[in-house]
């Protein structure tokens, strides 16, 4: 049967100029490429130099053009010996391999790959692609957008997704009925790694909302509901298998990484011992095993060892210096502890009223400092070693007190500083009743000599950075007295109030001392607090503290005080003596225990000593000592309004 043709082609074929077209199966020889002409002004040498200077293009990445020339049976023979994760990475290399492995013809390759791993994962469901299943088990890519942040996994739905896709494609049920129905008819939901809200697919939730509108008594709905429950039960059972496999896989991977780390640690340790650092490794301990170069889960190679060797040696040398410094400071601290025990024995052998420096002050003075800090740490210093310095400790204490007395005198205002003539000693009025200092750490006024033994001025307040830089402060459990020179200042406000109180008592503030006022033992009344129903009487020290509560009490504070007569004072003292606990504190000369003076007689009988009770007043007593303010009986005398100032 002749072939059909168009009239146009027939007319063209019958024309005399027509010639048959060449056969498309025959390969035509390509024409010669026309050479590019160059101007006469450009020389051949310049052209060659330009070609040599022009950088050549380098091919980046892996060349996969040869893959298309390899037969599929050879590729499949190679691929079926890989693990699923390796096969998944192969599919990411190029489109050719991806299109090859995604076909049904490559399904047996994936099944063989799943058999190459242990523990073997659950069998892939029929409605799930094998490559998708591999990414679900071993990969990190989101199955919706392809990003590498697919951290959200649903074992029941066999889904791996990223957080943005979860928020976009999934939603949480709103009402309680939606929650109940979704739990029964949807196999499972998905939860973000850092969340606790179960989200379901939006299409499933839309189907759930439509199912809620159907009559429950409908037979078709009941049959569908039962079939759906069976499907959900089977899918959730499969999800439990996947969860169990993930736990086994995590345990296997953790054990594998632990073995690799152990081999790496052993290899690094053996090589460090070869260069003489074996004895330091055991002393470093935890810091060595947690070092970033040691704890890695990678096999140690020669090239890797050459890279980390200098840094590990530097780390061990630094740890050695830190360890030696820590050992030195512990030895220094033990020596200072021994010195403190030795000084405690000396204080018990001396009269109780003698003021000696604290252990930190002794440790900062020569020759005690040289004995403690300059002696090598490998030499043990027992407590008897300080016997050679016993004769020098008391002179050191006297020089320390003279130095600090001069420092306290410089804190006094100019009107209290004594005139220092040629050849005359510097006698400071530190022991006057109007001399008060104020600590930077507490609000109570401080008298002299309490300022020399005040506990706040020797408490260690150095920061960790200061202790790290200063071995003297780190070795001591206290600081030298007034360390830094800014912890003590003169208290002008209390001084002005004391001047007014002592002036009201009829004494000279620039001459009288606290002991003289205690002997007088007078009582004063605060006219600022006096009313027709209440009057307060107090001792001179309590009056000074009471005056601090009134902002109007200044230099002329004597106008606000009235001295009680003998009859009123006797009544006030009788009220004060009712409670023996409301008496000033004293200390026992035998045990140095501090207690109220009214309880001292009972305490002395406990010592079973055939001697008169002996007590002393400790230097570190606060100004606020009982007896405190006492209310004067109103009917004891007529209330004198001439000394009252209306406030």
């Amino acid at each position: 049967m002749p072939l059909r043709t168009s009239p146009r082609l027939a007319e063209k074929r019958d024309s005399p100029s027509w010639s048959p077209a060449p056969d498309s199966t025959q390969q035509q020889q390509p024409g010669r490429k026309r050479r590019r002409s160059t101007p006469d002004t450009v020389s051949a040498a310049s052209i060659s130099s330009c070609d040599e200077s022009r950088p050549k293009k380098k091919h980046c990445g892996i060349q996969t053009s040869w893959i298309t020339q390899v037969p599929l049976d050879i590729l499949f023979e190679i691929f079926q010996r890989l693990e699923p994760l390796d096969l998944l990475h192969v599919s990411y290399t190029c489109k050719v391999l991806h299109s090859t492995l995604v076909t049904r013809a490559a399904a047996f390759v994936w099944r063989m790959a799943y058999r190459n791993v242990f523990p073997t994962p659950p069998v892939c469901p029929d409605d799930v692609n094998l490559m998708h299943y591999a990414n679900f088990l071993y990969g990190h890519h989101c199955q919706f957008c392809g990003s590498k942040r697919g951290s959200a996994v649903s074992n029941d739905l066999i889904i791996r997704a990223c957080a943005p896709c979860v928020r976009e494609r999934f939603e949480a049920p709103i009402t309680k009925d939606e929650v109940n129905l979704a739990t029964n008819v949807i196999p499972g939901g998905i939860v973000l790694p850092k969340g606790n809200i179960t989200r379901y697919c939006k299409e499933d939730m839309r189907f759930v909302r439509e199912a809620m509108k159907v009559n429950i008594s409908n037979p078709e709905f009941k049959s569908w509901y039962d079939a759906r429950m069976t499907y959900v039960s089977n899918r959730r059972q499969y999800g439990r298998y996947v969860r169990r496999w993930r736990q086994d896989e995590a345990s296997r991977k953790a054990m594998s990484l632990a073995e690799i780390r152990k081999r790496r640690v052993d290899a690094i340790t053996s090589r460090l011992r070869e260069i003489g650092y074996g004895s330091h490794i055991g002393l470093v301990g935890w810091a060595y095993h947690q070092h970033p170069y040691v704890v890695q889960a990678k096999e140690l190679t020669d090239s890797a060892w050459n890279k980390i060797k200098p840094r590990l040696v530097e780390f061990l040398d630094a740890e050695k210096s830190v360890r030696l410094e820590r050992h030195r400071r512990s030895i220094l601290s033990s020596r200072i502890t021994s010195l403190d025990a030795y000084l405690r024995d000396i204080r018990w052998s001396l009269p109780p009223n003698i003021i000696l420096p604290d252990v930190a002050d002794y440790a900062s003075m020569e020759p005690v400092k040289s004995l403690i800090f300059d002696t090598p740490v490998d030499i043990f210093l027992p407590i008897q070693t300080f016997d050679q310095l016993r004769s020098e400790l008391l002179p050191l204490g006297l020089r320390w007190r003279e130095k600090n007395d001069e420092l306290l005198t410089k804190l006094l205002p100019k009107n209290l500083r004594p005139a220092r003539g040629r050849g005359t000693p510097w006698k400071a009025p530190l022991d006057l009743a109007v001399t008060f200092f104020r600590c930077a750490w507490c609000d109570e006024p401080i008298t002299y000599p309490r300022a020399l033994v005040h506990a706040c001025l020797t408490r260690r307040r150095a920061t960790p950075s200061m202790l790290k830089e200063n071995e003297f402060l780190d070795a001591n459990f206290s600081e030298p007295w007034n360390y830094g020179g800014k912890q003590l200042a003169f208290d002008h406000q209390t001084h002005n109030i004391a001047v007014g109180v002592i002036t009201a008592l009829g004494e000279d503030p620039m001459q009288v001392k606290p002991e003289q006022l205690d002997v007088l033992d007078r009582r004063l009344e605060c006219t600022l607090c006096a009313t027709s129903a209440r009057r307060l009487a107090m001792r001179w020290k309590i009056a000074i503290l009471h005056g601090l509560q009134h902002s109007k009490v200044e230099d002329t504070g004597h106008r606000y005080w009235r001295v009680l007569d003998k009859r009123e004072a006797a009544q006030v003292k009788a009220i004060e003596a009712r409670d023996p606990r409301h008496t000033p504190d004293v200390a026992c000369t035998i045990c140095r225990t501090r207690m109220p003076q009214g309880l001292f007689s009972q305490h002395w009988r406990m010592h079973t000593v055939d001697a008169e009770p002996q007590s002393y007043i400790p230097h570190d007593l606060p100004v606020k000592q009982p007896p405190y303010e006492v209310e004067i009986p109103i009917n004891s005398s007529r209330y004198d309004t001439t000394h009252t100032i209306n406030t």
Side-chain angles (χ1 to χ4, degrees), residues 1-5:
M1 182 177 180
L3 297 176
R4 296 180 61 186
T5 181

Side-chain angles (χ1 to χ4, degrees), residues 272-561:
L272 288 175
R273 285 174 179 169
E274 293 176 359
I275 59 178
Y277 284 90
S279 59
H280 302 293
I281 295 175
L283 298 175
V284 174
W286 180 85
Y288 167 73
H289 291 278
Q290 295 298 321
H291 193 275
Y293 293 134
V294 179
V295 77
Q296 294 180 7
K298 296 180 181 179
E299 297 290 350
L300 184 68
T301 59
D302 294 337
S303 61
W305 167 249
N306 293 331
K307 291 181 181 179
I308 68 176
K309 176 182 175 181
R311 299 183 181 181
L312 285 178
V313 170
E314 181 182 358
F315 164 73
L316 291 176
D317 291 339
E319 287 291 327
K320 179 181 178 181
S321 61
V322 171
R323 186 175 65 256
L324 293 178
E325 181 66 20
R326 192 184 301 115
H327 175 68
R328 169 179 170 78
R329 295 195 178 188
S330 64
I331 295 297
L332 296 178
S333 181
S334 63
R335 291 176 179 177
I336 291 178
T337 303
S338 301
L339 175 63
D340 183 56
Y342 189 80
L343 292 175
R344 193 181 304 113
D345 295 339
I346 292 179
R347 289 191 181 95
W348 279 91
S349 63
L350 296 175
N353 288 327
I354 295 180
I355 298 178
L356 292 178
D358 194 63
V359 60
D361 294 281
Y362 269 117
S364 62
M365 295 184 289
E366 297 291 346
V368 181
K369 183 178 180 180
S370 299
L371 179 63
I372 294 177
F373 291 91
D374 295 343
T375 305
V377 294
D378 55 348
I379 299 177
F380 175 68
L381 296 181
I383 193 172
Q384 293 79 10
T385 309
F386 299 102
D387 288 336
Q388 57 183 333
L389 303 176
R390 188 181 183 92
S391 59
E392 302 182 21
L393 293 178
L394 289 179
L396 286 175
L398 294 177
R399 289 197 295 269
W400 171 84
R401 181 164 184 177
E402 292 175 359
K403 174 185 175 182
N404 291 329
D405 285 348
E406 185 175 352
L407 188 145
L408 292 175
T409 304
K410 293 180 180 180
L411 297 178
L412 299 177
K414 293 183 179 180
N415 60 338
L416 288 180
R417 293 183 186 180
R420 188 176 183 182
R422 181 178 299 178
T424 59
W426 193 339
K427 295 182 180 180
L430 296 174
D431 54 352
L432 295 180
V434 294
T435 303
F436 288 91
F437 299 94
R438 184 170 293 274
C439 171
W441 312 107
C442 56
D443 298 332
E444 186 181 2
I446 304 174
T447 58
Y448 180 87
R450 186 195 176 198
L452 296 175
V453 294
H454 189 50
C456 293
L457 301 178
T458 57
R459 189 173 302 161
R460 190 171 75 173
R461 306 180 187 277
T463 60
S465 59
M466 295 174 59
L467 296 178
K468 185 177 181 180
E469 297 175 358
N470 194 330
E471 70 171 5
F472 175 80
L473 294 178
D474 191 22
N476 281 278
F477 43 85
S478 61
E479 290 182 357
W481 182 84
N482 195 22
Y483 184 73
K486 297 182 179 180
Q487 303 184 41
L488 200 65
F490 186 77
D491 193 347
H492 293 275
Q493 184 181 10
T494 307
H495 167 74
N496 296 333
I497 296 173
V499 170
V501 171
I502 295 174
T503 303
L505 290 173
E507 303 292 336
D508 186 4
M510 300 303 170
Q511 297 294 331
V512 69
K513 296 183 179 182
E515 297 81 4
Q516 299 173 357
L517 295 178
D518 291 339
V519 172
L520 293 176
D521 197 19
R522 296 179 181 176
R523 298 295 183 268
L524 296 94
E525 178 187 357
C526 177
T527 57
L528 289 174
C529 299
T531 62
S532 59
R534 182 174 178 266
R535 299 169 59 193
L536 292 180
M538 60 203 77
R539 297 180 302 111
W540 70 277
K541 286 185 178 180
I542 301 299
I544 294 174
L545 297 178
H546 182 81
L548 291 174
Q549 303 175 8
H550 299 291
S551 59
K552 294 183 179 181
V553 178
E554 294 294 341
D555 297 338
T556 58
H558 63 279
R559 297 184 303 164
Y560 301 98
W561 302 100

Side-chain angles (χ1 to χ4, degrees), residues 149 166 241 610:
R149 300 181 179 179
V166 169
Y241 293 153
D610 295 336

